[in-house]
Amino acid sequence: MKTKNIHKLFLIMLGVLLFASCKKESENIFTMFTDVTVTYNNSDPRCITDYKVVNDKDEVWIDFTINSASEDMYSYTVEKSSGAQTPERIIYTINDPTKRRSFSDVIKLVMNRDGKTTYRIYALNQKGIFIGDGKKSVTIDVNPSYMIYANREIYLPDTAAKSLPSFFSLNDATSFNYTNGATNSAKIDFGVYRKLASNSTPTAISYTYNLYSPSVAVNPLTVYDISAWTPKRTTKFSAPITGQAAAFLTGAVSGSTIETLAKARTINLDATAGTTLANGLFSGSAVFFLTPEGKYGIMYISVVALDILRRPYMNVSIKVQR
């Protein structure tokens, strides 16, 4: 019995010795890359050193100095992270050999995205391998510059009961029907309607969807008499533009980007004039607009469909400058 126990003890001790002899010492990840430091300097009121709240179109400076104690830096990366998007990275070469242990520069930015954006600067060696970021970053927080209203429903007119909400306010994404539209005319930017139209195939017939301003010269939907409504808003519209999902989701990210996108279009219509399903208000298309208050916006049409009661409607989302 004693011999058996001694044999077991010998095997355990042998295993411990073998494990100890094979163990490879590695540096703790939390103590690595300590030779590189990054300092964010406060050389100007526009500089950011840690966290800064600004407005859309404000200029922000990142004045930085990056030092490497033991290895030459041949380039550095500026990494930009916004929300859930994949970080953007730009690599800059350090061409001056005398600055490969200490390099300074100023990055000047004009803000054009609402919300928080984080910038991180890190050094790369001659092989393009990361050697440190000083474990620092800076975050710029841009105040809200636009309003967003998602998934609002606008129904096509019902000419009998006149109770479906087919009029719409772009300021607060509220819809109105013909009955309560008169008392809310000061809020209403447009109404919608549909008509039969020919497609490219002569034998095919479908509906085309359009919008019209209450101030339009000729009412395209005479069954809804809005001649006595007052006041009437004078919002102007572009023609519907197809394939605008990316522009709406990732392009229109601030008041200034909305304005830039809108100004690239002709916005002069009191009513859209689509003649086919595809060039009217259609799934995936958008209409840019300019309100009487001088605010630019974009309305994206995500769905044109029938509800459970088979009533035609559009599902829209809106972004408009504050």
Side-chain angles (χ1 to χ4, degrees), residues 6-310:
I6 292 172
H7 181 66
K8 287 183 178 179
L9 181 61
F10 174 76
L11 290 175
I12 292 171
M13 293 179 64
L14 181 62
V16 170
L17 289 171
L18 287 172
F19 176 79
S21 64
C22 293
K23 183 180 179 182
K24 182 179 180 180
E25 294 295 333
S26 60
E27 192 173 358
N28 190 320
I29 187 66
F30 297 105
T31 61
M32 294 173 67
F33 310 117
T34 57
D35 288 341
V36 173
T37 61
V38 179
T39 303
Y40 294 98
N41 306 306
N42 193 21
S43 61
D44 186 275
R46 291 164 288 192
C47 286
I48 177 172
T49 59
D50 181 36
Y51 175 83
K52 193 180 186 75
V53 179
V54 300
N55 294 316
D56 183 32
K57 298 190 286 188
D58 280 355
E59 185 174 334
V60 179
W61 292 8
I62 302 177
D63 181 344
F64 71 94
T65 300
I66 185 167
N67 294 294
S68 178
S70 60
E71 188 173 2
D72 282 356
M73 302 178 293
Y74 279 77
S75 59
Y76 64 93
T77 298
V78 178
E79 180 183 86
K80 173 185 174 183
S81 301
S82 301
Q85 289 188 333
T86 302
E88 300 174 18
R89 298 180 180 92
I90 302 177
I91 299 175
Y92 298 91
T93 302
I94 300 175
N95 293 310
D96 188 343
T98 66
K99 297 181 178 180
R100 289 195 174 132
R101 291 299 181 91
S102 182
F103 181 86
S104 297
D105 201 1
V106 179
I107 303 170
K108 298 181 179 181
L109 307 166
V110 177
M111 306 316 299
N112 62 0
R113 181 186 181 90
D114 287 10
K116 294 180 180 179
T117 301
T118 297
Y119 290 86
R120 170 174 166 252
I121 298 172
Y122 56 86
L124 305 173
N125 63 15
Q126 190 173 14
K127 295 181 179 180
I129 297 172
F130 172 90
I131 57 174
D133 63 355
K135 296 181 172 60
K136 287 185 177 181
S137 62
V138 293
T139 298
I140 305 167
D141 196 352
V142 179
N143 286 317
S145 61
Y146 70 98
M147 298 296 296
I148 179 169
Y149 304 101
N151 297 318
R152 304 305 169 100
E153 293 180 351
I154 308 172
Y155 277 82
L156 274 295
D158 56 328
T159 56
K162 301 180 180 179
S163 61
L164 292 178
S166 60
F167 295 96
F168 198 76
S169 167
L170 291 166
N171 278 334
D172 59 8
T174 304
S175 56
F176 304 92
N177 59 30
Y178 180 72
T179 303
N180 62 19
T183 56
N184 291 282
S185 63
K187 301 177 182 179
I188 293 173
D189 290 282
F190 67 87
V192 296
Y193 72 102
R194 69 176 184 174
K195 62 182 179 180
L196 290 172
S198 297
N199 277 337
S200 55
T201 303
T203 57
I205 298 294
S206 66
Y207 284 105
T208 181
Y209 297 79
N210 282 293
L211 62 79
Y212 64 100
S213 167
S215 61
V216 67
V218 178
N219 183 358
L221 189 65
T222 54
V223 69
Y224 278 11
D225 183 4
I226 59 173
S227 59
W229 287 16
T230 185
K232 295 179 180 179
R233 288 177 62 78
T234 56
T235 301
K236 299 293 184 182
F237 303 91
S238 73
I241 304 155
T242 59
Q244 293 299 296
F248 184 83
L249 292 172
T250 61
V253 292
S254 67
S256 60
T257 53
I258 291 171
E259 183 170 340
T260 298
L261 288 168
K263 285 184 173 179
R265 308 294 178 176
T266 301
I267 304 177
N268 62 352
L269 300 177
D270 294 319
T272 61
T275 57
T276 67
L277 182 65
N279 65 20
L281 303 174
F282 186 63
S283 299
S285 68
V287 171
F288 292 90
F289 59 87
L290 175 63
T291 71
E293 296 80 20
K295 305 297 184 182
Y296 286 95
I298 175 175
M299 181 177 73
Y300 177 72
I301 297 92
S302 56
V303 172
V304 178
L306 300 176
D307 70 5
I308 194 171
L309 298 177
R310 301 196 62 78

